[in-house]
């Protein structure tokens, strides 16, 4: 008596990214965040508080604040969005929300894009407030256009969002998500040119800094700080930061898991 083995079911078709599903996901995330004022305050106000503190740390040396304030205007939103996004996304997975959502006609790309859109909306508010505070309340002196400064700050916040979404796939708990910060953020912070020019570093470290997106975020801020017009280096910097954010979001969609083992 022969036995037949039932054929394995075909893999689920890859769902193309669809605007309606993406915006519905973003609206759901924003509604959830609306019930969590502490998270909203962390994302929007912490960069402003840090800039305010930095200004008065260098109260006796305003030129020092002008020198590093522009760079930190991009770094603070990146770090904040990384932390909040990674923890919020991980919480959705550990609670089973992602598993239920992905059982619906909702692809991983829709989910990641929706999260990016929701947190990106908050990143716009965060970057606008921090830039306005630095320029008009704290007296940050920049040569270039404030709009270019805002553009770099926004792209940095979006990069932090993308990195947070990506690393959340590899963390099993919120504590582990926070532990990724020394591995992902701190090396970039040390090598981005904030503390010393990149060309003054050891050649190996200079080469490593050349592939880290935060290096170009800091350089873009410095271009606005020193030049009145948009330079070729500035265009290169913002394209690299934007491209890095898009690449990391794509990797985040590819590595997204339904649940935490």
């Amino acid at each position: 008596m022969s036995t037949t083995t039932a054929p394995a079911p075909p893999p689920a078709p890859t769902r193309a990214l669809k605007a309606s599903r993406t915006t519905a996901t973003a609206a759901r995330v924003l509604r959830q965040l609306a019930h969590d004022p502490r998270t909203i305050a962390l994302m929007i106000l912490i960069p402003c508080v840090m800039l305010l503190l930095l200004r008065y740390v260098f109260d006796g040396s305003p030129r020092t604040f002008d020198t590093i304030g522009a760079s930190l205007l991009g770094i603070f939103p990146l770090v904040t969005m990384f932390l909040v996004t990674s923890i919020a996304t991980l919480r959705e997975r550990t609670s089973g929300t992602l598993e239920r959502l992905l059982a619906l006609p909702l692809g991983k790309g829709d989910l990641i894009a929706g999260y990016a859109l929701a947190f990106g909306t908050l990143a716009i508010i965060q970057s606008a407030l921090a830039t306005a505070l630095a320029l008009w309340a704290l007296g940050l002196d920049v040569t270039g256009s404030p709009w270019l400064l805002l553009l770099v700050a926004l792209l940095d916040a979006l990069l932090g969002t993308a990195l947070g979404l990506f690393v959340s796939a590899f963390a099993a708990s919120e504590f582990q998500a926070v532990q990724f910060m020394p591995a992902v953020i701190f090396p970039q912070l040390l090598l981005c040119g904030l503390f010393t020019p990149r060309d003054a570093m050891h050649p190996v470290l200079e080469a490593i800094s050349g592939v880290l997106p935060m290096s170009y975020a800091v350089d873009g801020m410095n271009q606005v700080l020193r030049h009145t017009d948009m330079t070729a280096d500035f265009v290169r910097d913002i394209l690299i930061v934007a491209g890095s954010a898009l690449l990391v979001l794509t990797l985040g969609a590819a590595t997204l898991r339904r649940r935490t083992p």
Side-chain angles (χ1 to χ4, degrees):
M1 177 176 173
S2 62
T3 59
T4 58
T5 303
T14 301
R15 301 184 181 98
L17 196 67
K18 190 173 181 181
S20 60
R21 295 194 295 255
T22 298
T23 53
T25 301
R28 181 189 63 81
V29 174
L30 289 173
R31 285 195 300 270
Q32 288 182 331
L33 289 174
H35 298 290
D36 190 357
R38 288 178 297 181
T39 299
I40 294 178
L42 177 64
M43 284 190 289
I44 294 178
L45 298 181
I46 288 300
C48 295
V49 173
M50 296 301 292
L51 284 170
L52 183 65
L53 178 62
L54 183 71
R55 168 63 183 84
Y56 290 103
V57 166
F58 296 109
D59 191 42
S61 180
R63 292 304 304 169
T64 303
F65 176 70
D66 290 337
T67 302
I68 68 173
S71 298
L72 291 175
L73 180 59
I75 292 174
F76 287 156
L78 190 156
V79 174
T80 304
M81 295 304 294
F82 171 83
L83 281 173
V84 174
T85 306
S86 60
I87 293 174
T89 308
L90 179 65
R91 189 179 300 165
E92 292 261 278
R93 197 174 73 240
T94 54
S95 65
T97 302
L98 285 185
E99 185 176 9
R100 292 191 296 271
L101 289 173
L102 291 175
L104 302 173
L106 182 70
K108 292 182 178 181
D110 296 306
L111 195 65
I112 290 293
Y115 272 85
L117 180 60
F119 286 108
T121 301
L122 294 175
I124 293 174
I125 301 172
Q126 177 198 73
S127 301
L129 286 177
T131 302
L133 175 70
L135 291 176
W136 292 296
L138 302 181
L140 180 66
D141 186 16
V142 296
T143 303
S145 168
W147 293 106
L148 297 181
L149 203 67
L150 175 60
L151 174 61
V152 182
L154 175 58
L155 289 176
D156 292 345
L158 293 176
L159 176 60
T161 299
L163 289 171
L165 289 170
F166 176 65
V167 303
S168 68
F170 303 97
S173 66
E174 294 179 15
F175 179 66
Q176 285 188 7
V178 174
Q179 285 180 312
F180 272 103
M181 185 173 175
V184 176
I185 300 297
F186 286 0
Q188 296 193 67
L189 187 62
L190 293 174
L191 299 178
C192 68
L194 177 65
F195 301 104
T196 187
R198 291 166 54 204
D199 56 11
M201 298 177 185
H202 188 280
V204 173
L205 296 181
E206 182 183 0
I208 294 174
S209 72
V211 298
L212 299 177
M214 191 183 291
S215 301
Y216 299 94
V218 170
D219 188 66
M221 286 295 190
N222 289 333
Q223 292 293 320
V224 180
L225 185 67
R226 299 166 185 163
H227 301 281
T228 56
D229 299 321
M230 185 184 299
T231 65
D233 286 342
F234 176 82
V235 174
R236 176 208 63 190
D237 293 334
I238 62 172
L239 288 177
I240 289 176
V241 174
S244 298
L246 183 60
L247 174 62
V248 174
L249 283 175
T250 303
L251 293 175
T255 57
L256 183 67
R257 292 179 294 168
R258 292 173 179 265
R259 68 170 78 183
T260 299

